């Protein structure tokens, strides 16, 4: 780092992973870009960086004078769309996501304001019940519903499209993941059922929309009552929107028990009611999407930096096991 700048580095459990930050030229370019972005916003850094280095991103918390911290994020090539997507969402649906201070879409760099307290921390501090999750899911589903006419526009930003009809092929690509022999056999035997589920879900006619694909309580700011700001869109896809429910619902069940799942499901479905679809049809559709949601996680290894193939394969295997678990679970 440059003179006068202190830095604390967190590599988590990926101590040996190589990230762009380890390249001196890349690091110098990022520092210059951040300095220019802060200057354009009239912000002055205080010289402290807290780095979180992972195979799939470089994230830095920067202290600045006179306000909360700002954040620099660098995405790998396959999710370089995140900055442009975040900026577009800030225009299309103000208040649902952060408005970037600066974006370099070509390099996958973003400079972002702080969004306030995390939803997770608010839940812990207030000992909030499942109604807080219901509020989040209604608001998030309303965002997805509003974005359905923009699905193709979102894809043009670089967000991958994963239509339901393409999911059997995504399952086939998992055959190369490091699984135990019995897991591989179970995965292969799943294909006929999965193809039927995809066809049934597609026939319901819910249009594709934006799927955050990893919407948990650490990916949402909760700055005030009824206010939720979603961030970290690097895993996002354009696909069947109901696949989004699995991650937040499972996190809520970890806190409050599985008995809250029906009320969370129904809260999520509220913005989707009408259009000639019955409650029974919507519940069946969300049950099918629940089972298929793990395919998004399993395919996320393609978003990693190229140097991190082993870590990416491990994520794919984790997703494959989650898929097997969800497919054997009872319907919602």
């Amino acid at each position: 780092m440059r003179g006068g700048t202190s830095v604390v580095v967190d590599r988590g459990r990926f101590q040996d992973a190589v990230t762009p930050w380890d390249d001196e030229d890349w690091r110098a370019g990022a520092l210059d870009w951040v300095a220019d972005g802060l200057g354009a916003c009239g912000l002055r850094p205080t010289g402290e960086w807290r780095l979180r280095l992972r195979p799939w991103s470089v994230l830095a918390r920067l202290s600045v004078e006179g306000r909360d911290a700002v954040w620099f994020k660098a995405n790998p090539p396959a999710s370089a769309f995140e900055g442009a997507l975040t900026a577009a969402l800030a225009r299309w649906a103000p208040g649902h996501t952060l408005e970037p201070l600066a974006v370099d879409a070509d390099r996958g760099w973003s400079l972002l304001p702080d969004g306030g307290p995390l939803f997770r921390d608010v839940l812990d501090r207030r000992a909030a019940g499942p109604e807080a999750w219901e509020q989040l899911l209604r608001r998030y589903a309303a965002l997805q519903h509003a974005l359905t006419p923009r699905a193709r526009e979102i894809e043009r930003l670089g967000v991958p499209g994963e239509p339901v009809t393409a999911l059997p092929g995504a399952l086939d690509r998992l055959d190369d993941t490091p699984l135990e022999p019995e897991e591989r056999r179970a995965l292969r035997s799943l294909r006929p059922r999965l193809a039927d589920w995809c066809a049934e879900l597609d026939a319901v006619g819910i249009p594709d929309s934006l799927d955050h694909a990893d919407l948990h309580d650490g990916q949402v700011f909760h700055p005030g009552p009824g206010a939720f700001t979603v961030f970290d869109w690097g895993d996002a896809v354009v696909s069947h929107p109901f696949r989004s429910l699995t991650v937040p619902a499972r996190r809520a069940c970890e806190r409050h028990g599985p008995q809250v799942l029906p009320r969370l499901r129904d809260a999520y479905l509220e913005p989707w009611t009408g259009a000639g679809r019955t409650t029974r049809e919507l519940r069946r559709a969300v049950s099918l999407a629940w089972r298929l949601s793990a395919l998004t996680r399993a395919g996320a290894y393609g978003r990693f930096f190229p140097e991190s193939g082993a870590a990416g394969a491990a994520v794919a295997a984790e997703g494959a096991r989650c898929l097997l678990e969800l497919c054997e679970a009872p319907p919602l």
Side-chain angles (χ1 to χ4, degrees):
M1 297 292 291
R2 297 175 182 181
T5 301
S6 63
V7 59
V8 177
V9 178
D10 167 20
R11 293 182 180 269
R13 60 189 176 93
F14 301 97
Q15 295 297 313
D16 298 326
V18 178
T19 74
W21 185 261
D22 300 307
D23 181 275
E24 185 176 349
D25 291 338
W26 188 96
R27 187 168 63 248
L31 291 170
D32 289 340
W33 184 81
V34 168
D36 291 343
L38 292 175
C41 297
L43 299 175
R44 181 177 177 182
T46 62
E48 182 182 72
W49 284 55
R50 291 186 175 272
L51 281 166
R52 183 178 183 273
L53 303 182
R54 298 294 187 267
W56 53 88
S57 69
V58 171
L59 184 66
R61 183 186 188 277
L62 291 68
S63 298
V64 295
E65 291 184 354
R67 63 176 293 171
D68 292 330
V70 299
W71 299 82
F72 166 71
K73 184 172 184 179
N75 291 82
S79 62
F81 60 78
E82 184 179 353
L85 173 62
T86 303
L89 292 175
R91 296 193 304 272
W92 297 335
H96 285 272
T97 191
L98 296 173
E99 182 176 358
L101 303 173
V103 169
D104 187 326
D106 291 334
R107 291 190 284 191
W109 293 354
S110 304
L111 194 62
L112 299 158
D114 190 81
L118 284 175
F119 184 42
R120 173 187 297 159
D121 295 337
V122 174
L123 291 173
D124 291 340
R125 186 167 63 250
R126 299 180 183 172
E131 64 278 356
W133 291 89
E134 292 178 81
Q135 293 174 2
L136 168 64
L137 289 171
R138 287 190 192 97
R139 183 169 170 84
Y140 173 72
L143 171 64
Q144 288 185 296
H145 189 273
L147 290 174
T148 54
R150 296 189 180 273
R152 303 290 79 80
E153 192 173 353
I154 293 171
E155 286 189 53
R156 287 195 291 272
L157 295 174
V159 180
E162 289 187 359
V164 169
T165 52
L167 294 182
L171 176 65
D172 293 340
R173 289 191 291 275
L174 293 180
D175 203 49
D176 293 331
T177 55
L179 297 170
E180 296 297 325
E182 60 273 17
E183 292 174 327
R184 193 175 309 282
R185 286 193 294 271
L187 202 65
R188 290 174 178 173
S189 68
L190 176 63
R191 197 186 193 288
R193 282 191 294 160
L194 186 137
D196 290 342
W197 293 335
C198 289
E200 183 181 354
L201 182 57
D202 186 54
V204 177
I206 301 291
D208 286 350
S209 187
L210 184 64
D211 173 8
H212 182 280
D214 195 23
L215 186 71
H216 59 73
D217 49 359
Q219 308 277 43
V220 180
F221 296 115
H222 190 24
F228 298 93
T229 307
V230 180
F231 67 99
D232 198 355
W233 294 91
D235 287 334
V237 294
V238 174
S239 187
H240 197 288
F242 291 6
R243 293 166 68 191
S244 286
L245 178 61
T246 307
V247 172
R250 295 184 85 181
R251 288 295 182 98
C253 288
E254 289 172 3
R255 285 179 174 264
H256 305 293
Q259 70 276 3
V260 304
L261 187 53
R263 61 188 286 188
L264 298 177
R265 174 202 61 198
D266 290 346
Y268 174 80
L269 288 175
E270 282 184 18
W272 301 98
T273 56
R277 301 183 186 94
T278 67
T279 298
R280 182 178 179 181
E281 287 174 326
L282 289 172
R283 288 177 175 175
R284 173 61 178 169
V286 85
S287 184
L288 293 167
W290 175 278
R291 291 170 168 172
L292 298 170
S293 62
L295 282 169
T296 298
R297 178 63 177 166
Y301 66 90
R303 313 285 177 83
F304 282 60
F305 288 115
E307 294 87 349
S308 300
V315 170
E318 174 191 332
R321 294 185 180 103
C322 182
L323 174 65
L324 290 171
E325 175 188 344
L326 291 177
C327 288
E328 296 306 322
L332 297 186

